């Protein structure tokens, strides 16, 4: 049987939708994915570029700060008054007090950000200091004494046992103007936290006041000392040995990339590191990897929204295309269903469902063939209906009629629909006297595979008995019932009631004549025209 049109159209629709969406959804998704990745990569690259600029700017600021302080210390170490005080003071306590007063004045005048200004004698002992209680401390083992006695020197930030805390010292030698003999070492102790104040610190809105310098919002800026300690506004007892620091120290130039965050375990940082060769420090500017992608988030949201809208639009267009494309299919399925159901009036497809000339040509060709088939079928039915007998087809075994012509109603009085719909119609309406013989004859013929020729009676709708001469042929697989081939008998029932009655009347007349002749007392002789008895 033909599949119902809604199911068939749904299956075709699903396949077309999958095909059209596959042709649009996959490329659209790929384009959105590639664009989103490129946006993320662009945001990543741009953030890395800005971090490199910030790191380079911080290095420039620190270099300028260090250069200025070192120059000021070197210039102060050449002050004639300092030479005179060192030459005339010796180790007299009064002279040391005068020198300490001079250093205190120098701090106020030249080094307002210094924690301490002090002078070390050639033996390594502090002989004067702007901070009371520091005089007499032994600094002979410190690098700022050993190297500062030779030239201007900037120490690393490290823990200084002399003062019991972290120290950052600028030192320069004080030498005699006459013979260049070492008179002492002038030292300037700076708060290490000042380093954080001189780096470029972003403001909350991501701007640092200089439009030429891009700033990454929420970026962390810190310095890694020679010993690997992290310096911010205070010294952290945390050793920093990240990929960024190692590459910057080794290459001697700025580097940017991603690495495990040293400050937030379990997260990835995007940072830029630049070395300060003169101090052997590394300036690091870093931000969370997620924050680096923040600039791409609005664009990606817009991209995803546009991608989703494009997919919905493609789906809507696909549905419109499919709906219009399926109009001929729906019309064809409806026409075929009505044709199978026997309604010949709707077997032709309407031509206004075509969407192009090729489809219209196919519809017209199909309608022309259907018209020819219907015309031939009608001629066949007319021919069958004109036969003076009941043309029939019935399934073997169940004796269910598959076809009868309209003469059946005229001969027996039963409507054709009753022949086709009532189970066991033939057996039920056989004459009781002939029923067993007729059924047995057809059963034996179906087993032996033979044709049948048989006279029997059927009861008409008005109750009279009608003699029929039935000739049938056994056909194998000539009909399809419920989707399966079946064996059928195809035959022709001819009404022989009149001839059967005539034969019976003749037999009765001959029988009566014979009885009369045999009962007569006279001799009865019959001769032909030649006189023969």
């Amino acid at each position: 049987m033909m599949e119902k049109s809604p199911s068939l159209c749904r299956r075709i629709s699903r396949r077309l939708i999958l095909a059209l969406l596959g042709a649009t959804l996959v490329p659209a998704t790929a384009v959105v994915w590639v664009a989103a990745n490129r946006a993320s990569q662009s945001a990543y690259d741009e953030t890395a570029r800005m971090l490199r600029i910030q790191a380079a700017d911080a290095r420039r600021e620190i270099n300028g700060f260090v250069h200025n302080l070192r120059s000021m210390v070197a210039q102060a170490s050449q002050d004639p008054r300092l030479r005179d005080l060192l030459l005339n003071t010796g180790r007299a306590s009064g002279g040391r007090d005068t020198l300490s007063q001079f250093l205190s004045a120098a701090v106020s005048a030249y080094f307002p950000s210094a924690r301490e200004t002090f002078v070390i004698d050639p033996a390594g002992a502090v002989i004067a200091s702007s901070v009371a209680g520091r005089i007499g401390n032994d600094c002979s083992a410190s690098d700022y004494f050993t190297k500062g006695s030779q030239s201007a020197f900037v120490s690393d930030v490290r823990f200084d046992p002399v003062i019991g805390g972290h120290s950052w010292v600028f030192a320069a030698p004080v030498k005699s103007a006459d013979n260049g003999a070492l008179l002492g070492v002038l030292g300037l102790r700076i708060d290490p936290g000042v380093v954080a104040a001189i780096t470029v610190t972003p403001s909350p809105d991501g701007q640092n006041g200089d439009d030429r310098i891009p700033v990454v919002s929420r970026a962390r800026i810190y310095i890694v000392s020679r010993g690997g300690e992290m310096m911010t506004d205070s010294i952290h007892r945390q050793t920093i040995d990240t990929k960024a620091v190692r590459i910057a120290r080794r290459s001697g130039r700025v580097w940017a990339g991603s690495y495990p965050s040293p400050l937030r375990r379990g997260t990835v940082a995007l940072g830029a590191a630049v070395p300060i060769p003169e101090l052997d420090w590394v300036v690091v500017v870093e931000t969370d990897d997620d924050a680096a992608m923040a600039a791409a988030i609005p664009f990606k949201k817009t991209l995803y929204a546009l991608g989703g809208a494009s997919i919905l639009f493609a789906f809507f267009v696909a549905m419109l295309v499919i709906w219009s494309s399926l109009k001929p299919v729906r019309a064809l399925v409806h026409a075929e269903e009505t044709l199978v159901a026997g309604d010949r009036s709707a077997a032709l497809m309407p031509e206004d469902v075509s969407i192009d000339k090729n489809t219209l040509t196919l519809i017209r060709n199909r309608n022309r063939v259907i018209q020819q088939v219907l015309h031939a079928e009608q001629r066949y039915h007319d021919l069958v209906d004109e036969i003076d007998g009941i043309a029939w087809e019935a399934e073997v075994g169940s004796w269910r009629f598959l076809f009868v012509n309209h003469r059946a109603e005229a001969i027996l009085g039963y409507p054709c629909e009753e022949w086709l719909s009532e189970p066991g119609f033939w057996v039920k309406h056989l004459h009781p006297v002939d029923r067993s013989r007729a059924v047995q004859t057809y059963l034996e013929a179906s087993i032996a595979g033979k044709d049948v020729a048989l006279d029997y009676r059927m009861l008409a709708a008005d109750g009279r008995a009608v003699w029929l001469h039935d000739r049938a042929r056994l056909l194998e697989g000539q009909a399809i019932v419920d989707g399966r081939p079946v064996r059928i008998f195809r035959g022709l029932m001819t009404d022989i009631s009149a001839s059967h009655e005539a034969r019976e009347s003749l037999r009765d007349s001959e029988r009566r004549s014979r009885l009369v002749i045999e009962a007569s007392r006279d001799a009865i002789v019959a001769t032909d025209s030649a006189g023969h008895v």
Side-chain angles (χ1 to χ4, degrees), residues 286-310:
E286 69 181 23
T287 185
D288 294 335
D289 211 22
D290 294 338
M293 304 300 178
I297 292 177
F299 175 76
K300 291 171 70 173
K301 288 182 178 179
T302 303
L303 188 64
Y304 292 148
L306 290 176
S310 300

Side-chain angles (χ1 to χ4, degrees), residues 155-227:
S155 74
D156 193 16
V157 175
R158 62 168 61 92
F159 185 80
D160 191 346
V162 175
I163 65 171
H166 280 83
S167 177
W168 186 27
V169 177
F170 289 74
V174 182
K175 296 183 178 181
S176 172
D178 296 334
N179 54 16
L182 180 65
L183 301 178
V185 176
L186 175 63
L188 179 66
R189 196 181 306 279
I190 302 297
D191 180 4
V194 76
V195 177
I198 62 175
T199 56
V200 179
T201 304
S203 59
D205 59 354
Q207 300 297 325
N208 65 350
D210 188 347
D211 294 337
R212 297 172 299 172
I213 304 172
V215 175
V216 178
S217 178
R218 294 186 295 174
R220 300 180 292 272
I221 303 177
Y222 57 87
I223 299 169
V224 180
S225 67
R226 296 174 202 167

Side-chain angles (χ1 to χ4, degrees), residues 27-45:
T29 304
V31 169
V32 171
W33 183 80
V34 171
N37 281 351
R38 288 189 176 180
S40 298
Q41 187 62 43
S42 297
Y44 180 92
D45 295 341

Side-chain angles (χ1 to χ4, degrees), residues 223-422:
I223 299 169
V224 180
S225 67
R226 296 174 202 167
E229 287 186 321
M230 182 179 70
M231 294 186 293
T232 56
D233 53 345
S234 60
I235 302 300
H236 293 266
R237 293 297 184 106
Q238 181 176 353
T239 301
I240 303 297
D241 187 27
T242 59
K243 178 181 179 181
V245 173
R246 292 195 300 271
I247 293 178
R249 286 191 191 278
R250 185 171 60 248
S251 64
R253 61 177 182 269
V254 65
W255 178 89
S258 296
Y259 51 87
S261 174
L263 305 180
R264 300 179 181 177
R265 297 192 180 277
T267 62
V268 177
L270 171 60
V274 59
I276 305 178
E278 183 178 2
L279 301 175
D280 198 16
W281 289 356
V282 176
V283 179
V284 180
V285 182
E286 69 181 23
T287 185
D288 294 335
D289 211 22
D290 294 338
M293 304 300 178
I297 292 177
F299 175 76
K300 291 171 70 173
K301 288 182 178 179
T302 303
L303 188 64
Y304 292 148
L306 290 176
S310 300
I311 292 173
L312 290 177
F313 178 75
F315 180 79
F316 178 73
V317 172
M319 292 302 296
L320 289 180
V321 172
I322 291 171
W323 179 259
S324 60
S325 300
L326 284 180
K327 287 179 63 178
V329 177
R330 289 192 298 270
L332 174 62
V333 173
H334 176 70
E336 295 298 325
E337 286 180 349
T338 56
L339 185 62
V340 171
D343 184 5
R344 304 298 189 264
S345 61
L348 300 180
M349 289 180 60
E351 297 183 358
D352 59 352
V353 299
S354 63
I355 57 177
D356 54 41
K357 292 183 178 180
N358 293 330
T359 306
L360 179 61
T361 301
L362 291 175
I363 292 175
R364 287 175 175 173
N365 291 338
R366 185 257 182 199
N367 287 344
R368 183 167 57 252
V369 172
I370 292 297
Q371 286 175 336
Q372 294 173 355
V373 171
L374 292 178
H375 181 66
E377 184 181 0
Q378 186 61 44
R379 291 179 58 191
Y380 165 75
H381 281 290
D382 293 343
L383 180 62
V384 171
D385 286 337
E386 290 177 1
I387 296 176
D388 189 14
I390 302 173
W392 60 273
E393 286 182 352
E395 182 181 355
V396 175
S398 66
W399 310 116
R400 182 176 62 171
F401 283 95
L402 305 177
F403 170 78
V404 290
N405 64 351
H406 288 86
R407 288 289 297 165
E409 186 172 354
I411 294 174
L412 293 177
Y414 300 106
C416 295
E417 291 77 9
E418 190 172 342
W419 285 70
L420 300 175
S421 61
E422 183 177 339

